[in-house]
Amino acid sequence: MINQEMFDLGAEPNKIRELFAFGLERKAAIGAENVFDYSIGNPSVPAPDCVTQAFRDLLQMDPVVLHEYTPSPGDPQVRAAIADYLTRTFGLAATPGNVYVTSGASSAIAITLSAVCEPGDEVIVISPYFPEYRTWTHTAGCTLVEVPAQVPNFQPDVAAIEAAITERTSAIIVNSPNNPVGAVYSRESLTALCDMLARKEAELGRRIFLVADEPYREITYGAEVPYLPSLYVDTIVCYSFSKSLSLPGERIGYIYVSDRMLDAGAIFTAVCGAGRALGYICAPVMLQRAVAKCLGTPSDVEAYAANREILTRGLTELGYEFVEPEGAFYLWVRALESDAVAFSERAKDFELLLVPSDSFGATGWVRLSYCIARDTIERSMPAFKALKESYR
Ligand code: PLP
């Protein structure tokens, strides 16, 4: 009667959203100020003024024209503005024909995987990883192959990735700055990864696409974020404005397929086809036009940097172990027992909402989203202390 796979997906609890919903209930019951909700990655800094001004200006347009469908890959002027921005910023010539505007990175990745993979192919992810990669890979009819990152620096383990590549590998998803760990992949690791991928492509005689998932590109605390299309020709960039412009609910991003890659035109056509097959008529039009006016607007990284400082200092004093975050706004903290789900449950007793690492394909850790009010972080410290003491 119904598609069992889709039913299972709908019924499967998403731990992040489950905790977020639990937090809303607790806030209603005991007051928002008494719940320390580190569950979800909703940016806590407001969208920059540029976005508000762009919306004001857009509302002056003829409403019939303003709200029209755009061509599926996006408004030609918006694609041109993005291409121009990419060329200016990264020094590789991009054209409007290389840019497909999407409803955020989620649809960008789902479209890209469907465009470049055949059913039965394998997609490599570096664990821990963003949980929806599993969903999009399966929807493309492919198998997810998890390769753990190196511990303790959480950089890609190039030798292990090489060992995981088979004659069915068609893509690897690379997310740096990383959710959930906060690592930023170094130029050295990425160069080693890209050199190995190029060698494997030649050896196997097949394309291995690097899908660069980049919602956090601009959110770093000083680390360099190398531009992957410069390091590896078969890179497809999946960008999002959800975090850089604090617009997560608005759904806007893009795919960039560089002309430098072999058969770039055919790959872009497959992207258009996958977008069509998945039901994306065009990305939200007001958002397309608004972000085109705000390309390059700096994110308020200072706010996240201050949160990071308060949180890491506080947890260090309490003796928690964590990965020093270099980017994004997540902290990867070692659970105080081997079962991270049990640890997350225990944390709830102290009104701390921490996502267990099992959701990200790893055991024994929890993820804290610190894109929350600074004051909440400060007031949560006694709760972290009590949680730690409960394990004595
Ligand atoms: N990829 C990563 C690593 C993310 O953290 C997120 C959102 O949190 C996404 C993709 C999806 O982002 P978007 O809101 O652009 O769909």
Side-chain angles (χ1 to χ4, degrees):
M1 273 313 169
I2 54 170
N3 180 313
Q4 190 59 39
E5 207 181 312
M6 292 301 139
F7 176 84
D8 293 345
L9 203 52
E12 184 191 25
N14 171 328
K15 209 63 203 165
I16 302 173
R17 297 215 157 249
E18 210 176 65
L19 260 185
F20 179 59
F22 172 81
L24 293 178
E25 271 171 38
R26 286 303 288 160
K27 286 173 193 172
I30 64 169
E33 69 285 3
N34 298 314
V35 181
F36 309 114
D37 185 355
Y38 286 95
S39 66
I40 208 164
N42 253 331
S44 51
V45 304
D49 291 345
C50 171
V51 173
T52 316
Q53 192 54 49
F55 273 107
R56 285 209 180 97
D57 294 347
L58 286 169
L59 289 171
Q60 307 308 311
M61 275 175 72
D62 172 354
V64 174
V65 177
L66 173 61
H67 301 298
E68 274 176 349
Y69 292 121
T70 68
S72 302
D75 177 317
Q77 288 179 12
V78 172
R79 296 169 72 200
I82 294 172
D84 182 50
Y85 172 76
L86 291 175
T87 306
R88 272 186 286 119
T89 310
F90 302 111
L92 283 185
T95 68
N98 303 141
V99 176
Y100 182 100
V101 189
T102 63
S103 301
S106 299
S107 60
I109 301 166
I111 289 171
T112 300
L113 293 180
S114 289
V116 301
C117 302
E118 296 268 24
D121 283 354
E122 293 167 358
V123 174
I124 295 180
V125 296
I126 301 167
S127 57
Y129 57 90
F130 186 62
E132 292 306 299
Y133 294 165
R134 206 176 301 138
T135 310
W136 303 324
T137 299
H138 290 165
T139 303
C142 301
T143 306
L144 190 85
V145 177
E146 302 179 3
V147 179
Q150 295 180 56
V151 177
N153 63 7
F154 287 88
Q155 295 286 314
D157 184 337
V158 178
I161 294 170
E162 177 165 4
I165 292 177
T166 72
E167 300 207 330
R168 310 210 99 165
T169 306
S170 51
I172 173 168
I173 306 178
V174 174
N175 167 229
S176 172
N178 183 266
N179 173 14
V181 169
V184 177
Y185 296 164
S186 68
R187 179 169 288 276
E188 192 189 353
S189 328
L190 290 174
T191 304
L193 174 67
C194 292
D195 289 351
M196 181 276 288
L197 290 175
R199 184 163 43 75
K200 290 306 274 188
E201 275 195 329
E203 204 174 293
L204 296 171
R206 66 178 275 132
R207 308 289 285 276
I208 303 173
F209 291 95
L210 190 164
V211 179
D213 176 22
E214 301 209 326
Y216 304 97
R217 161 164 282 284
E218 294 82 7
I219 303 176
T220 68
Y221 310 106
E224 180 203 12
V225 183
Y227 187 54
L228 282 157
S230 307
L231 297 181
Y232 185 62
V233 170
D234 281 340
T235 297
I236 300 181
V237 176
C238 293
Y239 183 82
S240 169
F241 295 94
S242 291
K243 319 289 171 165
S244 58
L245 292 180
S246 295
L247 295 172
E250 301 292 359
R251 316 308 305 134
I252 192 77
Y254 60 81
I255 298 169
Y256 166 59
V257 177
S258 162
D259 268 341
R260 292 168 76 222
M261 68 177 76
L262 187 69
D263 300 329
I267 293 163
F268 194 84
T269 303
V271 163
C272 296
R276 181 177 172 191
L278 291 167
Y280 293 108
I281 299 299
C282 63
V285 60
M286 283 187 71
L287 267 298
Q288 291 193 44
R289 294 182 178 138
V291 297
K293 289 172 189 275
C294 300
L295 295 165
T297 303
S299 312
D300 181 8
V301 177
E302 287 310 310
Y304 301 130
N307 284 1
R308 164 182 177 265
E309 171 62 24
I310 295 164
L311 183 61
T312 55
R313 192 167 0 100
L315 293 188
T316 302
E317 278 164 19
L318 293 172
Y320 281 90
E321 186 193 335
F322 55 82
V323 178
E324 195 66 47
E326 297 181 294
F329 36 54
Y330 304 102
L331 190 71
W332 193 240
V333 179
R334 178 86 73 184
L336 297 178
E337 57 184 299
S338 55
D339 182 345
V341 176
F343 177 64
S344 165
E345 281 303 311
R346 169 126 30 142
K348 279 183 180 170
D349 295 343
F350 302 91
E351 309 302 344
L352 284 166
L353 307 187
L354 318 176
V355 185
S357 57
D358 304 61
S359 312
F360 305 98
T363 54
W365 300 76
V366 285
R367 186 197 73 173
L368 280 60
S369 289
Y370 58 84
C371 48
I372 60 177
R374 191 170 308 176
D375 160 68
T376 306
I377 299 179
E378 283 162 351
R379 288 184 303 97
S380 69
M381 286 304 145
F384 279 110
K385 184 164 190 273
L387 173 62
K388 183 114 203 286
E389 279 166 2
S390 79
Y391 280 90
R392 289 241 167 90

